Amino acid sequence: ACKRSRKMDLSGNPNQDREVLPRVDDGVASLAWSPAGNFICAGVWSNKVNLWEIAMDGSSAPKDELLHEGPVLATCWSSDGSTIFSAGGDRSVKMWNLDTGQSSTVGMHDAPVKSLIFSPDLNLLVSGSWDKTVKFWDCRQQQPAAALPLPERCYAMDAAGALMV
C-alpha cells in the first residue's frame, strides 16, 4: 500500500496562482512565454492570438491581439522576443512583429497547422501540419526553404539544437 507522508492541502490557493485577465473568449489551444520578457501569448479557438504583459506581482495587462481566419492551434516566439509566430485552422503561418505591430503571412500548408518551433540555430521557423508535412521557413521568403513528407499528420514536435522530434 502507498502511504502519503503528509496531508495535501487542496483548499485555497497555496501557490498564490493568479488568473490572466481579461479572460480569453474561447478555449486556449497554445501558450508560449516570451524568451525576452514577462509576456505570454495564447492561441485561441476564436481565431485570435492574445498577448499579455505579466507584472512581477502576478497581475496581467492585455497588450494586443492578432486575428486569423480559423482557430489558432500553435504559437511560438523568435529567440529575441520581438516576434510571435502563429498558425492554425486557416492553414496559414503568420509572423507578428511586436516592434512595428505589423503582421504578415510567412507561408501556407494544405491543411491545418498544429505545431510551430523557431530554431535559433538555423534561424528558421518550422511548421508541422495535418497535411503530413513539416516545412522550414526563412521568413523573408514565401516558399519554404525545405519540406519533409511525413507518414502521418503532425500533432506535436519539439527541437533541441540540431535534433527535432
Side-chain angles (χ1 to χ4, degrees):
C2 180
K3 294 184 179 180
R4 290 190 180 146
S5 61
R6 60 188 163 118
K7 186 176 178 180
M8 291 179 63
D9 180 11
L10 300 178
S11 64
N13 187 2
N15 294 326
Q16 302 301 307
D17 295 329
R18 295 286 187 104
E19 185 175 7
V20 175
L21 297 173
R23 294 179 179 175
V24 295
D25 57 358
D26 206 342
V28 173
S30 176
L31 288 170
W33 279 104
S34 169
N38 292 333
F39 294 91
I40 189 168
C41 69
V44 185
W45 279 92
S46 60
N47 308 349
K48 297 176 187 174
V49 177
N50 292 97
L51 175 65
W52 297 269
E53 184 173 11
I54 309 299
M56 294 306 291
D57 67 359
S59 63
S60 56
K63 288 298 176 187
D64 210 344
E65 67 182 27
L66 173 70
L67 295 176
H68 275 253
E69 292 182 22
V72 179
L73 304 176
T75 55
C76 71
W77 293 78
S78 61
S79 54
D80 66 359
S82 68
T83 304
I84 296 173
F85 300 102
S86 56
D90 61 3
R91 304 176 296 125
S92 70
V93 177
K94 292 191 176 193
M95 175 173 69
W96 182 14
N97 183 315
L98 298 178
D99 293 333
T100 65
Q102 299 297 310
S103 68
S104 60
T105 299
V106 174
M108 297 291 294
H109 276 268
D110 294 329
V113 181
K114 181 60 177 83
S115 193
L116 288 175
I117 298 169
F118 182 78
S119 171
D121 295 336
L122 300 172
N123 200 31
L124 294 174
L125 178 65
V126 185
S127 58
S129 171
W130 292 343
D131 66 6
K132 300 181 183 179
T133 64
V134 170
K135 294 183 179 182
F136 296 79
W137 303 96
D138 176 337
C139 297
R140 299 166 295 185
Q141 304 173 23
Q142 284 286 311
Q143 297 301 314
L148 298 173
L150 300 174
E152 186 48 69
R153 291 170 286 199
C154 179
Y155 290 100
M157 60 184 180
D158 199 3
L163 300 174
M164 188 172 80
V165 293

